[in-house]
Amino acid sequence: MTAVSTITETVARHQQSGAGRLRGVLVSFVIPAHNEERLIGELLRSIRRLDIPASISALEIIVADAESTDATRSIAEAAGCRVVTAPRGAA
């Protein structure tokens, strides 16, 4: 099961419950990373290419950078992600 199918199913269950249409739904991807400059760019592009249901009003990507010593942080920032510093071993 993919993240998008899980999100879609959750929204559908909410609507079937009679609670009405969800408004202002924010989906957050939190990505732990440490020295991932070789892979982080493609991962972020993959997330941006997801077919997000219309019921999702916003998507955010947060990269929890564990004190990377490579370009992980700058790649994530350049891609428009929010980057937070996580202690090494915690991300």
Side-chain angles (χ1 to χ4, degrees), residues 8-72:
T8 303
E9 289 172 11
T10 301
V11 170
R13 275 196 308 275
H14 176 80
Q15 290 170 336
Q16 289 171 355
S17 73
R21 181 167 169 75
L22 291 172
R23 289 185 177 84
V25 175
L26 169 67
V27 173
S28 301
F29 287 85
V30 180
I31 303 165
H34 177 72
N35 292 338
E36 297 293 341
E37 71 180 1
R38 287 187 20 225
L39 303 172
I40 193 92
E42 180 56 33
L43 173 63
L44 300 175
R45 285 187 294 278
S46 294
I47 292 171
R48 299 270 188 223
R49 287 191 303 258
L50 291 174
D51 184 21
I52 302 297
S55 55
I56 304 301
S57 62
L59 177 120
E60 71 175 340
I61 303 172
I62 302 167
V63 175
D65 180 50
E67 303 172 359
S68 293
T69 57
D70 64 2
T72 299

